[in-house]
């Protein structure tokens, strides 16, 4: 059982990479994006400015700067628009592309927030099922895969799905 479900502020996790639920500008925002930029410090935004943004479903990797995590993988989740606009496929590609970048750097541990389920309005259970399905497909490739929840409701949801 390598998928860990925790309730924690993802900026505090001492792992190889934390994943950020970013927007296409990569220049910061609210929610977990805001927390990560605040904790990583101003160098993160300066670094991201040179990346030229990121499309929805895509992912980019940066150093963690002042974070305990060595790397940050920024991925842009889909905005929920009812489910008929390819949202599920885009959310799945967020997880797949994040894992791909982590594998390229041969990272051993990675933590994900519940991408798109905050400001972007993705229904929590549907998003968690997509997340866990991709995590399970990568279980053998990492020492630690962490679903970093911010609410106890999400912890319950992820624990039920990963059981
Ligand atoms: N640690 C872990 N999870 C967190 C944290 C944190 N410090 N802060 C918020 N979360 C959780 C939220 O509770 C939610 O479950 O992260 C999940 C994703 O919520 P958002 O951060 O709102 O991200 P998202 O729904 O993908 O919307 C992205 O919001 O902040 C802007 O720039 C961002 O435009 C982008 C959009």
């Amino acid at each position: 059982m390598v998928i860990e479900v925790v309730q924690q502020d993802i900026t505090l996790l001492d792992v190889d990479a934390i994943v950020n639920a970013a927007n296409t500008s990569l220049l910061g925002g609210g929610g977990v994006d805001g927390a990560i930029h605040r904790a990583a410090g101003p160098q993160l935004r300066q670094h991201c400015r040179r990346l030229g943004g990121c499309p929805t479903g895509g992912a980019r990797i940066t150093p963690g700067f002042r974070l305990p995590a060595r790397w940050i993988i920024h991925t842009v989740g889909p905005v929920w628009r009812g489910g008929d606009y390819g949202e599920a496929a885009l959310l799945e590609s967020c997880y797949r592309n994040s894992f791909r970048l982590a594998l390229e750097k041969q990272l051993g541990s990675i933590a994900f927030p519940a991408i798109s389920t905050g400001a972007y309005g993705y229904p929590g259970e549907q998003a968690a099922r997509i997340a866990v399905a991709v995590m399970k497909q990568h279980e053998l490739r990492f020492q630690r895969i962490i679903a970093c929840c911010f609410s106890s409701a999400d912890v319950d949801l992820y624990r039920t799905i990963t059981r």
Side-chain angles (χ1 to χ4, degrees):
M1 172 62 177
V2 80
I3 298 171
E4 300 166 34
V5 181
V6 302
Q7 183 171 353
Q8 182 56 274
D9 174 349
I10 200 167
T11 65
L12 302 177
L13 296 184
D14 182 5
V15 289
D16 290 337
I18 61 169
V19 176
N20 180 22
N23 60 57
T24 53
S25 77
L26 296 183
L27 299 179
V32 69
D33 195 10
I36 288 173
H37 273 269
R38 270 193 303 281
Q43 291 170 286
L44 175 57
R45 186 183 165 91
Q46 287 159 13
H47 184 97
C48 287
R49 216 194 292 279
R50 294 197 297 270
L51 297 181
C54 180
T56 299
R60 300 289 185 272
I61 190 164
T62 71
F65 297 109
R66 292 187 191 153
L67 287 167
R70 266 68 70 200
W71 301 95
I72 308 166
I73 295 172
H74 308 261
T75 191
V76 182
V79 175
W80 179 255
R81 295 193 290 161
D84 297 331
Y85 294 86
E87 296 98 314
L90 285 167
L91 184 61
E92 181 174 335
S93 62
C94 286
Y95 286 91
R96 287 198 187 291
N97 282 321
S98 297
F99 276 119
R100 175 177 51 78
L101 293 178
L103 287 171
E104 282 173 10
K105 287 249 191 275
Q106 297 175 330
L107 305 184
S109 56
I110 183 168
F112 290 86
I115 299 163
S116 277
T117 65
Y120 282 1
Y122 209 110
E125 180 168 348
Q126 292 180 57
R129 291 192 182 284
I130 290 169
V132 171
V134 182
M135 290 174 180
K136 283 186 184 294
Q137 290 167 7
H138 292 81
E139 258 185 319
L140 302 181
R141 310 286 296 274
F142 291 84
Q143 282 88 39
R144 298 182 69 200
I145 297 175
I146 300 165
C148 182
C149 303
F150 209 47
S151 70
S152 57
D154 276 354
V155 169
D156 295 344
L157 181 56
Y158 272 82
R159 288 211 169 123
T160 303
I161 296 171
T162 50
R163 203 166 287 145

